[in-house]
Amino acid sequence: MKFKKITALAATLVIGASTCGVFSGCGTVVEEEGYDPTKANLTVATYDGGVGEAWLKEAAARFTEMHKNSTHFQEGRTGVNIMVSASDKYAGSTIGEKSLDKDVYFTESVEYYTFINQDKVANITDVVKASLEDYGEVNSDGTPVTIESKLDASFQDYLTAKDGNYYMIPFYDGFYGFIYDVDLFEEQGFYVDDNGNPLKLKKNATEADRKTFEEKKSDGPDGLPNTYDDGLPATYQQLIDLCEYIAGKSGYAPFCYSGQYVDYVTKAFRSAAVDYEGYDAFKVNYTLTGDDVKLVKSINSDGSLEFEYKDIQPSNAYELQKQAGKYYALWLQEQLFGEPKYTGGTYNTFDYLVAQEKFVSSKYSSLRYAMLAEGVWWENEAEKVFNDMEEFKGEAKGSRRFGLLPMPKAPGQEAGRQTMFSANSSFGFINKSCENMELAKEFMRFLHTDSEMSKFSASTSIPRSLNYEVSKEDRANATHFGKTLIDMRAQAKVIYPYSSESLVLKNPSNFTEGIWFSTAKVDGRVMNNPFTAFQNKTATSAQFFNGLYTYQKDQWSTLK
């Protein structure tokens, strides 16, 4: 989408911007390296984690060029100067514990209402509701496109539940899952055909060979040909069979993971629970209201399930811990990680960075890993590993192909589109004390145009948590991993764990991933992670599943 050069936006966002002098800047602008006394200055902080800072610097350069002749942001100055500061300190409670010293923030691990109640964040309702027509964005029926119109309904309800206003905008999607090595899958026959047989691409394959190879792939979990998941395990049993096949090959292991962050594994399997239930059924975990919700009544000795249906309301919402998707996800996790046979024969104590390094570099080690349990930001975090591979092995980052494994279907579940789960509490916001508020708000509008969010996806290989389309040109610039994730995200339904339900808002800690998905009470003992329970043989998947219900039921009456 082409932008129009903007010379005056006062009619859209007249905020009463103050003049930032050399000695009275926005935030601590006078102390910032790169401060320009001839231009309107803005300091922007970003968490230097999974998405890095390159995307922001690239966007700032485009915004600066667009406004190089602008004089309305600050009296007596022409143009704008965006100063980007990236650090791992810009996340979670770390920034909330001190005075904000930057104008704009992009961060993660933020508990929205706890943070905004500190009264440090600017009201940006006007930004979220402002038309983006001046950026060339108009609906086909002529109605204006706004940032609000790009937000999922659950986000709209959640973000405005306090007083009807917006204070933050969702940042990027937090998908967890299994990253698979595309090159390895082709070389070793880890893809399958329609009959479930291994499918290998021969060495030195011609274009004709590759075309035949692609045509022979199974339709995958979505049941459709010629999509991102062709040839990948379509069912739980196919995934188990694949892991057995990989583990049976000398020098190969199905999974690499971080022993210090085993919750990454559990979060990956949580994706299976969400995909089984589907959007409407799983969303009830946050609205706490639903009619005839399908629940597990009992688990038979052969592992099959008996079902019942109940109406759910806040007073009995602990019953949602009986959703079958949660049982199947736990069962699959126990099958694949209950013993170390699929992790190289041992459990490890790796840091997540070490796990990334071992996964990528295993191409040249005695034990090669096929998949990595991680979040979708892993490629950015592993930048040093890829740089080392390029220096010592001559393999640039873009030459390696990876993908996000779509969740296969549980017993009795039909093939179909994915339902994905995004949660890492990442947001963008403006410091309430920013003096050049007009400039800060206009920069936020700019960053949330379709064009800029499309470029973000190409630069980081990660989707933003809003509805927009990635252009063909930007997709072409993404890594192979980014391309597959863009394709998967475009076809999937995405659940964000938010709502305006008061019980959820008043008890945020109870509905965090670690409590709602991973805390169980088994034989009177509270267990905080199924991975550890399976590893130590202190609970089976059935016991842990029943324990999720026991834990929530026992403490439900204590919730506010």
Side-chain angles (χ1 to χ4, degrees), residues 254-409:
F255 296 109
C256 185
Y257 72 101
S258 168
Q260 293 183 25
Y261 290 83
V262 294
D263 60 316
Y264 282 18
V265 176
T266 297
K267 289 177 180 180
F269 285 106
R270 177 201 58 201
S271 299
V274 174
D275 185 58
Y276 176 87
E277 294 295 338
Y279 185 89
D280 292 334
F282 203 85
K283 193 63 187 174
V284 180
N285 282 269
Y286 302 99
T287 63
L288 306 187
T289 302
D291 297 331
D292 291 328
V293 176
K294 183 180 179 180
L295 303 172
V296 175
K297 182 178 181 180
S298 61
I299 304 173
N300 298 322
S301 59
D302 63 356
S304 61
L305 305 179
E306 300 293 334
F307 298 104
E308 61 182 348
Y309 295 83
K310 290 186 178 181
D311 293 340
I312 298 297
Q313 52 193 350
S315 62
N316 72 339
Y318 54 83
E319 296 282 352
L320 291 168
Q321 298 298 54
K322 291 183 178 181
Q323 284 187 312
K326 297 176 184 179
Y327 169 72
Y328 281 128
L330 288 166
W331 179 86
L332 185 61
Q333 181 173 348
E334 184 181 22
Q335 300 307 303
L336 298 180
F337 284 86
E339 300 287 347
K341 64 183 294 188
Y342 298 140
T343 60
T346 60
Y347 289 110
N348 71 65
T349 57
F350 301 158
D351 176 78
Y352 68 96
L353 294 175
V354 173
Q356 292 168 1
E357 186 276 330
K358 287 186 175 294
F359 174 61
V360 174
S361 64
S362 71
K363 180 177 179 179
Y364 299 98
S365 71
S366 58
L367 181 63
R368 188 167 183 184
Y369 294 103
M371 293 174 279
L372 170 70
E374 253 287 3
V376 293
W377 46 81
W378 79 281
E379 264 192 334
N380 299 303
E381 289 182 338
E383 190 71 27
K384 183 180 183 302
V385 179
F386 286 112
N387 290 340
D388 289 344
M389 294 292 287
E390 183 173 10
E391 179 179 356
F392 298 110
K393 298 296 182 181
E395 288 187 343
K397 178 180 179 180
S399 67
R400 295 288 298 275
R401 296 183 300 159
F402 301 96
L404 179 64
L405 191 79
M407 277 298 156
K409 304 305 180 181

Side-chain angles (χ1 to χ4, degrees), residues 144-203:
V145 172
T146 66
I147 296 174
E148 183 177 47
S149 68
K150 301 179 185 185
L151 294 175
D152 184 86
S154 59
F155 259 131
Q156 293 182 27
D157 292 342
Y158 174 73
L159 296 173
T160 60
K162 178 183 179 181
D163 56 12
N165 291 310
Y166 290 94
Y167 296 87
M168 296 183 183
I169 300 175
F171 189 16
Y172 61 89
D173 277 330
F175 301 131
Y176 289 85
F178 298 110
I179 317 303
Y180 68 98
D181 187 328
V182 175
D183 298 315
L184 178 62
F185 268 52
E186 288 186 354
E187 295 165 6
Q188 295 298 321
F190 296 159
Y191 285 108
V192 296
D193 61 19
D194 288 331
N195 297 316
N197 299 316
L199 193 61
K200 182 187 296 187
L201 181 66
K202 65 182 182 181
K203 293 182 179 180

Side-chain angles (χ1 to χ4, degrees), residues 1 4 131-145:
M1 196 167 288
K4 299 177 182 178
S131 169
L132 295 173
E133 184 175 3
D134 46 13
Y135 282 105
E137 296 191 12
V138 181
N139 291 316
S140 58
D141 61 0
T143 57
V145 172

Side-chain angles (χ1 to χ4, degrees), residues 424-537:
N424 64 344
S425 299
S426 61
F427 295 97
F429 62 89
I430 299 174
N431 183 352
K432 187 177 182 179
S433 298
C434 173
E435 295 186 18
N436 200 331
M437 191 65 74
E438 182 183 2
L439 176 56
K441 289 189 172 184
E442 189 51 47
F443 188 53
M444 288 291 275
R445 288 181 72 239
F446 170 77
L447 291 177
H448 293 85
T449 59
D450 283 3
S451 178
E452 283 303 310
M453 292 193 291
S454 176
K455 288 179 173 60
F456 175 94
S457 293
S459 177
T460 66
S461 295
I462 302 171
R464 290 293 309 270
S465 299
L466 296 93
N467 297 315
Y468 62 100
E469 185 175 339
V470 178
S471 71
K472 291 181 179 179
E473 294 78 11
D474 289 333
R475 182 186 180 281
N477 293 326
T479 64
H480 189 276
F481 176 75
K483 290 183 177 71
T484 60
L485 184 56
I486 288 169
D487 294 344
M488 184 185 295
R489 172 69 172 80
Q491 296 185 38
K493 291 185 176 181
V494 179
I495 285 182
Y496 295 101
Y498 304 107
S499 78
S500 57
E501 163 53 44
S502 61
L503 196 65
V504 177
L505 295 178
K506 292 178 181 179
N507 302 275
S509 62
N510 187 71
F511 296 93
T512 59
E513 299 165 72
I515 301 295
W516 191 246
F517 292 109
S518 302
T519 300
K521 191 173 184 180
V522 180
D523 295 332
R525 294 174 296 165
V526 174
M527 299 181 179
N528 296 315
N529 196 295
F531 186 102
T532 305
F534 300 155
Q535 177 183 351
N536 296 334
K537 309 302 181 188

Side-chain angles (χ1 to χ4, degrees), residues 21-320:
V22 175
F23 299 104
S24 61
C26 305
T28 57
V29 72
V30 71
E31 300 176 4
E32 290 290 329
E33 181 179 354
Y35 177 82
D36 189 337
T38 69
K39 299 178 180 179
N41 291 270
L42 190 73
T43 58
V44 184
T46 186
Y47 174 62
D48 189 20
V51 298
E53 61 180 314
W55 72 274
L56 186 54
K57 289 184 174 180
E58 293 164 359
R62 289 187 288 270
F63 184 81
T64 299
E65 175 63 21
M66 177 182 294
H67 292 284
K68 63 183 179 181
N69 297 319
S70 298
T71 59
H72 66 277
F73 286 122
Q74 192 165 344
E75 184 178 351
R77 300 190 183 190
T78 301
V80 299
N81 180 41
I82 309 295
M83 292 165 284
V84 174
S85 178
S87 172
D88 59 5
K89 70 180 181 180
Y90 298 131
S93 60
T94 305
I95 49 176
E97 292 168 354
K98 58 183 69 175
S99 297
L100 302 180
D101 59 359
K102 300 294 185 290
D103 298 318
V104 178
Y105 284 81
F106 290 93
T107 185
E108 68 171 46
S109 301
V110 169
E111 205 294 296
Y112 180 72
Y113 280 102
T114 299
F115 199 82
I116 66 174
N117 285 338
Q118 296 172 357
D119 199 31
K120 298 178 182 178
V121 181
N123 184 332
I124 56 173
T125 305
D126 49 355
V127 176
V128 178
K129 290 181 175 291
S131 169
L132 295 173
E133 184 175 3
D134 46 13
Y135 282 105
E137 296 191 12
V138 181
N139 291 316
S140 58
D141 61 0
T143 57
V145 172
T146 66
I147 296 174
E148 183 177 47
S149 68
K150 301 179 185 185
L151 294 175
D152 184 86
S154 59
F155 259 131
Q156 293 182 27
D157 292 342
Y158 174 73
L159 296 173
T160 60
K162 178 183 179 181
D163 56 12
N165 291 310
Y166 290 94
Y167 296 87
M168 296 183 183
I169 300 175
F171 189 16
Y172 61 89
D173 277 330
F175 301 131
Y176 289 85
F178 298 110
I179 317 303
Y180 68 98
D181 187 328
V182 175
D183 298 315
L184 178 62
F185 268 52
E186 288 186 354
E187 295 165 6
Q188 295 298 321
F190 296 159
Y191 285 108
V192 296
D193 61 19
D194 288 331
N195 297 316
N197 299 316
L199 193 61
K200 182 187 296 187
L201 181 66
K202 65 182 182 181
K203 293 182 179 180
N204 303 317
T206 65
E207 284 299 315
D209 292 330
R210 176 166 288 280
K211 181 179 180 181
T212 300
F213 173 76
E214 294 295 337
E215 290 174 347
K216 288 183 177 179
K217 284 182 178 178
S218 68
D219 290 340
D222 68 2
L224 301 173
N226 304 317
T227 58
Y228 63 88
D229 68 351
D230 290 356
L232 295 170
T235 65
Y236 284 9
Q237 190 57 54
Q238 285 187 6
L239 178 57
I240 294 171
D241 291 344
L242 173 62
C243 291
E244 193 69 24
Y245 179 68
I246 296 172
K249 295 175 69 69
S250 178
Y252 294 88
F255 296 109
C256 185
Y257 72 101
S258 168
Q260 293 183 25
Y261 290 83
V262 294
D263 60 316
Y264 282 18
V265 176
T266 297
K267 289 177 180 180
F269 285 106
R270 177 201 58 201
S271 299
V274 174
D275 185 58
Y276 176 87
E277 294 295 338
Y279 185 89
D280 292 334
F282 203 85
K283 193 63 187 174
V284 180
N285 282 269
Y286 302 99
T287 63
L288 306 187
T289 302
D291 297 331
D292 291 328
V293 176
K294 183 180 179 180
L295 303 172
V296 175
K297 182 178 181 180
S298 61
I299 304 173
N300 298 322
S301 59
D302 63 356
S304 61
L305 305 179
E306 300 293 334
F307 298 104
E308 61 182 348
Y309 295 83
K310 290 186 178 181
D311 293 340
I312 298 297
Q313 52 193 350
S315 62
N316 72 339
Y318 54 83
E319 296 282 352
L320 291 168

